[in-house]
Amino acid sequence: MCGGLMGALTMAIPAQQRKGWPLWRILLGYNAGRIASYSLAGALVGSLGWLIQDLGLGILLRTLAGLLMIAMGLYLANWWSGLTRIEQLGRGLWRHIEPRARKLLPVKSPSQAIALGALWGWLPCGLVYSTLIWASSQGDAGVSAGLMLTFGLGTLPTLMATGLAAQTMLRWLRKRHVRISAALLVILFGLWTIPGPHQAWLMGHGSHEANQGLPAEATEHQHH
C-alpha cells in the first residue's frame, strides 16, 4: 500500500521538480515526516508499557502482534483479506486528517513534503498496527519509539526506490512472485514473534552451538 501511495505522490509532483536533487529532497521529506510520526506513535503506546507489564499483558500483546503480521502476510499474497477490517479501526481518525493532507497537494517544497509525510504516518495500515502493538509490549516509551524509528528506516530504501522510479517500481511490486516472497517473510516473522515452544527450541539450540566452542571447564561451570 505504501509503495503505491509513494508512487502516486511522486507522480503528483510538478514535472519540473520530478528529477534530480529537487525530487530527492521531496522524497526524503515525505519519509522524514512519515518516520517521525511512527516514532511519535511508538512513544505514545510505549508510555503505557508500565501498565502493560504490570497487568501481565506483554505476552498477549506479542501474540496479537504476531497474529497481525501473519494476517498481513496473507493479505500481501491475496490469500486472505481480513486485515482490511482491522485497518477500518483507524479510518475514523484518518477522516479528520485526510482533508489537511489534501491541502498540501501538489507538493512543491521539502517543508510541504515533511508535513504531508507526517500526516501520511497516521494512515490506517495493518503492518504499522502490528508493529505498534509489538513495540508497546516492550514496556518503555523510549524503546518503543526507537523500534518504530527502526521500522520506518527499514522501509525507507524500498519507498525511496519506488519514488525515484515510480512507474517501474509499481509494475515490479505488482508481480505475484514478489508479493508472495514478501508475504512469506512477514508470515515467518509473525510466527517468530508469537511466544511459544518454537522460540525456546531455537534459543536452546543456539546456546548449545555456542557451548560447543567453549573449553570443557567453562561448559561444566555453566552447568553448575
Side-chain angles (χ1 to χ4, degrees):
M1 180 181 70
C2 284
L5 182 57
M6 175 60 90
L9 289 175
T10 301
M11 299 307 293
I13 298 172
Q16 64 271 22
Q17 291 186 286
R18 213 183 302 153
K19 56 185 177 180
W21 179 237
L23 176 60
W24 273 89
R25 291 172 63 197
I26 290 176
L27 295 182
L28 287 171
Y30 284 152
N31 285 284
R34 176 179 63 86
I35 294 171
S37 288
Y38 290 169
S39 301
L40 175 60
L44 291 174
V45 299
S47 65
L48 299 175
W50 62 271
L51 178 61
I52 292 169
Q53 296 298 332
D54 285 349
L55 294 176
L57 298 178
I59 293 178
L60 177 62
L61 285 177
R62 284 184 63 89
T63 301
L64 179 58
L67 292 174
L68 283 173
M69 288 180 188
I70 293 171
M72 183 65 186
L74 296 174
Y75 173 74
L76 286 173
N78 291 323
W79 292 334
W80 185 62
S81 58
L83 191 68
T84 56
R85 299 174 187 172
I86 298 172
E87 291 177 350
Q88 289 175 358
L89 297 174
R91 288 180 182 171
L93 174 63
W94 182 245
R95 277 198 295 269
H96 296 286
I97 296 176
E98 185 180 15
R100 292 173 172 79
R102 289 186 181 277
K103 291 179 181 179
L104 294 170
L105 294 171
V107 173
K108 298 179 180 179
S109 68
S111 59
Q112 275 183 287
I114 292 172
L116 183 57
L119 295 176
W120 169 14
W122 300 99
L123 183 72
C125 175
L127 185 57
V128 175
Y129 291 166
S130 63
T131 310
L132 268 175
I133 292 173
W134 173 64
S136 71
S137 69
Q138 305 306 305
D140 183 275
V143 172
S144 297
L147 288 172
M148 292 307 296
L149 171 64
T150 304
F151 166 73
L153 291 174
T155 63
L156 182 60
T158 299
L159 291 183
M160 284 296 295
T162 303
L164 292 169
Q167 293 176 331
T168 302
M169 284 296 295
L170 285 176
R171 286 196 298 268
W172 185 74
L173 289 171
R174 290 192 184 108
K175 291 183 177 179
R176 181 160 178 76
H177 71 276
V178 173
R179 292 180 65 89
I180 290 179
S181 297
L184 291 175
L185 286 174
V186 174
I187 290 171
L188 286 173
F189 188 70
L191 291 171
W192 165 249
T193 300
I194 297 173
H198 60 290
Q199 285 191 333
W201 180 83
L202 287 172
M203 292 175 67
H205 183 71
S207 178
H208 174 74
E209 292 296 329
N211 285 337
Q212 293 299 310
L214 293 175
E217 295 83 356
T219 304
E220 182 179 354
H221 177 72
Q222 283 186 348
H223 287 306
H224 288 300

